[in-house]
């Protein structure tokens, strides 16, 4: 093996090892005019790392493409691949995406861990009461449990944690995903393949002929998939899925815009959970924050006595970001008979729905974030960033 090849292999391994040790979700290798920039996405935010020497640029890109079984000769078209990287006593699955730029090929590597302890509702930030309510819903024999939020809000992790709590030996659980990010020993899992026409809609129709008790649809991306999933939830199946929306209430509007009939949505939907991920303040460097009187009043700090807010500072322990780790903030809308009747109404508006839910104690994700800030777990600025 040539000396340069050995150096390249060692460098790529070192980048991946460092990224895993730092808890990164993605590694970005970005060609710029005068350097090859390396950045890790840690707790949802990109953090700079030492750049790659320019003389190793092509060999590093080629090494990653070989590992991912991507055509190294093709540099003009985006490509996708994957590989498994052995690390300490286990391994990490790595999804690779290349993209041509004016300075060369950019590579993004998504790191997918298989840590069973991460599939725990408590570790994701669920309160004991909320976790218990979600388990009650997934234990039912039929209905839809829908997880909503933007990209990167932890929807897939929540779906997997809910699935992990279901007894797969007593119930036939079938999933349809894109891609499969965590494998369960007793669950039948399948991955869509758009190039051959195996779409979510086609796969979901086939699943219904597999005598399923529980169906997990990784994401409802179109009206056809959503319609099949909701009707499956009406006909004796428990369906878990996710949808990209900014809030729980906006989900109703999105579903209607996708062409679903109101009575189908109202009758099939059991629970709607909207979520975000907030970064947790670094315990080593957080500092007291002193909000102005307007914010103190908004947070009702005077009524709570000595509650104290904290802000991020930054230290070597948190790579200078002021945060370390993330947790979820959630809002749960439970569809009972009264809400069912309201959703079925053709004259229902977003404002009317919001007013009704507020009378039932709905306050939105920002208020859930405030609760974490008042416990000193995150900062007010972080709550504003994600909500």
């Amino acid at each position: 093996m040539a000396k340069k090849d050995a150096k390249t292999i060692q460098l790529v391994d070192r980048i991946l090892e460092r990224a895993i040790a730092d808890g990164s979700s993605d590694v970005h290798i970005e060609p710029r005019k005068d350097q090859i920039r390396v950045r890790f996405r840690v707790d949802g935010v990109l953090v700079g790392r030492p750049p790659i020497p320019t003389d190793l640029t092509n060999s590093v890109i080629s090494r990653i493409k070989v590992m991912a079984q991507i055509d190294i000769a093709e540099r003009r078209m985006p490509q996708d691949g994957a590989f498994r990287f052995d690390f300490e006593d286990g391994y990490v699955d790595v999804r690779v995406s290349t993209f041509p730029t004016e300075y060369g090929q950019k590579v993004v590597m998504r790191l997918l861990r298989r840590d069973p302890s991460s599939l725990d509702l408590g570790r994701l930030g669920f309160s004991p009461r909320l976790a218990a309510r979600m388990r009650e819903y997934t234990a039912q024999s039929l209905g839809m449990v829908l997880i909503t939020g933007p990209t990167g809000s932890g929807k897939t992790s929540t779906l997997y944690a809910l699935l992990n709590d279901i007894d797969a030996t007593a119930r036939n659980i079938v999933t349809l995903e894109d891609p499969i990010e965590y494998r369960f020993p007793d669950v039948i899992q399948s991955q869509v393949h758009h190039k051959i026409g195996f779409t979510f809609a086609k796969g979901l129709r086939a699943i219904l002929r597999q005598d399923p008790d529980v169906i997990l649809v990784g994401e409802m991306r179109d009206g056809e998939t959503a319609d099949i999933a909701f009707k499956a939830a009406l006909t004796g199946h428990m369906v878990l899925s996710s949808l990209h929306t900014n809030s729980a209430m906006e989900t109703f509007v999105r579903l209607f815009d996708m062409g679903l009939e109101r009575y189908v949505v109202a009758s099939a939907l059991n629970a709607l959970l909207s979520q975000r991920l907030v970064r947790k303040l670094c315990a080593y460097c957080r500092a007291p924050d002193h909000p102005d009187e307007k914010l103190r009043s908004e947070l009702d700090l005077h009524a709570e006595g000595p509650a104290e807010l904290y802000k991020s500072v930054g230290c070597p322990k948190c790579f200078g970001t002021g945060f370390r780790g993330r947790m979820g903030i959630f809002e749960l809308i439970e569809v009972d008979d009264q809400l069912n009747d309201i959703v079925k109404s053709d004259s229902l508006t977003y404002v009317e729905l919001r007013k009704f839910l507020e009378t039932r104690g709905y306050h939105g994700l920002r208020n859930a974030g405030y609760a974490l800030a008042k416990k000193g777990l995150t900062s007010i600025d972080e709550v504003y960033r994600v909500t």
Side-chain angles (χ1 to χ4, degrees), residues 203-230:
L204 189 50
R205 286 195 185 93
I207 286 175
L208 292 174
R209 297 191 291 272
Q210 292 288 308
D211 185 32
D213 297 301
V214 179
I215 302 170
L216 185 148
V217 183
E219 182 183 343
M220 294 192 296
R221 297 177 180 173
D222 56 80
E224 184 181 13
T225 303
D227 184 63
I228 299 169
F230 269 84

Side-chain angles (χ1 to χ4, degrees), residues 35-56:
Q35 67 171 358
I36 305 303
R37 185 167 63 178
V38 177
R39 295 193 291 173
F40 295 169
R41 187 173 293 281
V42 181
D43 299 331
V45 176
L46 287 171
V47 179
R49 290 293 178 260
I52 294 174
T54 53
D55 63 316
L56 292 178

Side-chain angles (χ1 to χ4, degrees), residues 304-316:
E304 299 188 11
E308 187 171 19
L309 301 180
Y310 290 86
K311 61 183 178 182
S312 61
V313 177
C315 69

Side-chain angles (χ1 to χ4, degrees), residues 116-124 126-128 130-140 157-171 173 182 184-185 187 214 216 238 240:
S117 65
S118 66
L119 302 182
D120 178 83
L121 294 175
R123 288 193 59 176
L124 295 179
F126 281 70
S127 68
L130 178 58
R133 291 298 295 152
M134 296 304 293
R135 292 187 182 106
E136 288 176 14
Y137 281 117
T138 56
Q140 295 179 12
S157 295
T158 296
L159 285 173
Y160 279 149
L162 292 172
L163 203 64
N164 193 48
D165 278 344
I166 299 174
D167 184 1
T169 61
R171 303 171 78 180
I173 304 175
Y182 190 94
F184 296 85
V187 174
V214 179
L216 185 148
M238 168 52 59
L240 311 178

